[in-house]
Amino acid sequence: MQLGPRVVSLSTKSRTYPGWPAIRNEPSWLLERVRAAGFVRETERIGVRYIDFFSGDVFPNLKIGVHIEGAPLKDGQIDVTTVLRFGKITTRLQVTNGAIVVTAAGPEVGSVLDIDGWVGPNDSDLFGHGLERFTELHDMVKRLFYSLLKPDYLAQLNPVYP
Amino acid sequence: MIACLPPPPPSAYRLVEELRDPAAIAGVHRVAMDELESEQALLTKLGARGWGRIHHFRNHYHQPWGERNAAPLSPRALEGLTRFVVAAAFAPGKLPSVFLTDSGGLELCWEDERGGARQVEFKSDGIDYYIADCEEEGSVRLDNVGELVRKFAA
């Protein structure tokens, strides 16, 4: 759990994401304690963010990319950031093929697909419907993630659908 | 003999320089990724000064402020004001003024084409409005900005 000015967040440790079913109830525990602490006047946003690391350059395996005169830009560092809106949910999508992740096995160069989804102040009643919002946000981020990967690449990742 | 005049008494109110001069926030501002449309509307419809004041309020009023410990800026009030400004039309040459209220709300004041005063206060739990021409005042919910815009356009 991370606590800072205007932010409370709950995050998993790197490479230990247990899957949504295992963590969907964790916000409930957190919300109860934040409510009991009594320091939140108003909610500015409720968000869910997934940061996924891929070995190598992920752009050839994505449905989005950077093109020059119709041809995909290759062999260089590319960073793409954009915002997509889905009703009351806003998502910021960031992709880079210039990331380095450091693990116990050592540093590894690759790509990051970072999807941050949130609802704004007037759709963020944290103690009223906060848990429902977390689920909605998770579902939206998940749909966006899967929609970005090319089918043949997705198949290589052997996804397991609960 | 050298006579020194006493220093002038301090003003009862002091205008913070950053609010007076848009140059105080000069520089390149990268717009937050989802806010280009709303920032453009705030700049176009409130002018550089109005936009600058909102910029100042949202970045420097997250804690209780002033001698009376006034409430910090309400994110809901800011979102309500932003939605309103994006959708509303103001008479040419009648730039609205923006104020931060003691309760953390935002107040927008301007004149219509005939010089009649119009006032809207965006609060964390709703919107209050006043139209001097027809002596009308009332309240709407924060998610009912569209109704408010239609009322002011009528």
Side-chain angles (χ1 to χ4, degrees):
Chain A
M1 195 184 104
Q2 297 170 316
L3 183 64
R6 298 163 58 207
V7 61
V8 177
S9 69
L10 195 61
S11 60
T12 62
K13 291 180 181 172
S14 181
R15 297 199 174 206
T16 58
Y17 180 64
W20 180 248
I23 63 170
R24 63 156 47 114
N25 292 322
E26 294 295 326
S28 169
W29 172 89
L30 177 63
L31 287 190
E32 279 310 307
R33 274 144 189 83
V34 171
R35 185 208 297 263
F39 62 88
V40 174
R41 280 169 49 101
E42 194 180 315
T43 318
E44 190 167 349
R45 85 176 217 168
I46 295 175
V48 168
R49 184 177 186 183
Y50 279 78
I51 303 172
D52 291 287
F53 179 82
F54 300 85
S55 296
D57 185 357
V58 77
F59 276 104
N61 302 311
L62 296 182
K63 296 175 185 173
I64 63 165
V66 179
H67 291 70
I68 296 179
E69 292 187 346
L73 187 60
K74 293 179 180 175
D75 304 325
Q77 183 176 335
I78 300 172
D79 291 69
V80 173
T81 304
T82 191
V83 163
L84 304 166
R85 289 206 175 108
F86 306 95
K88 60 180 175 286
I89 297 177
T90 305
T91 58
R92 184 186 60 211
L93 168 67
Q94 296 182 90
V95 192
T96 178
N97 61 3
I100 297 176
V101 64
V102 180
T103 66
E108 185 183 356
V109 176
S111 305
V112 162
L113 182 53
D114 178 347
I115 304 176
D116 187 9
W118 70 88
V119 290
N122 291 314
D123 295 305
S124 296
D125 180 3
L126 186 64
F127 304 122
H129 50 230
L131 290 177
E132 290 86 345
R133 288 284 183 267
F134 281 124
T135 300
E136 290 169 13
L137 287 161
H138 162 266
D139 293 349
M140 178 52 70
V141 169
K142 183 176 178 178
R143 272 201 297 276
L144 178 57
F145 175 86
Y146 281 110
S147 72
L148 290 169
L149 302 181
K150 290 180 179 174
D152 53 343
Y153 181 65
L154 182 58
Q156 291 174 30
L157 298 176
N158 299 316
V160 176
Y161 301 99
Chain B
M1 179 180 169
I2 299 174
C4 293
L5 291 172
S11 303
Y13 298 97
R14 187 170 59 85
L15 189 63
V16 176
E17 287 305 315
E18 301 94 278
L19 298 182
R20 188 203 303 270
D21 183 7
I25 51 172
V28 175
H29 294 265
R30 185 168 176 175
V31 176
M33 276 303 296
D34 62 323
E35 295 177 0
L36 182 58
E37 181 193 11
S38 56
E39 289 280 319
Q40 277 180 330
L42 292 173
L43 190 52
T44 305
K45 298 181 182 180
L46 304 185
R49 179 171 172 157
W51 173 83
R53 285 173 68 84
I54 289 176
H55 180 277
H56 191 78
F57 295 148
R58 72 186 298 185
N59 288 293
H60 300 290
Y61 286 81
H62 295 301
Q63 302 294 329
W65 55 277
E67 291 176 358
R68 289 184 293 177
N69 272 340
L73 173 64
S74 158
R76 286 182 184 159
L78 177 60
E79 185 172 83
L81 176 137
T82 304
R83 286 184 183 178
F84 178 78
V85 171
V86 166
F90 302 99
K94 305 285 187 184
L95 288 181
S97 300
V98 190
F99 305 95
L100 179 63
T101 70
D102 284 358
S103 59
L106 286 167
E107 194 171 277
L108 211 54
C109 304
W110 73 101
E111 293 178 347
D112 60 22
E113 301 90 336
R114 297 175 297 279
R118 296 184 163 199
Q119 200 170 328
V120 185
E121 184 182 355
F122 299 87
K123 305 182 295 184
S124 63
D125 59 354
I127 307 171
D128 295 341
Y129 67 89
Y130 172 69
I131 305 174
D133 259 6
C134 50
E135 287 291 323
E136 180 183 346
E137 59 184 332
S139 302
V140 296
R141 292 187 342 208
L142 274 166
D143 59 1
N144 235 346
V145 165
E147 180 191 328
L148 191 65
V149 170
R150 285 191 292 277
K151 189 175 288 295
F152 278 100

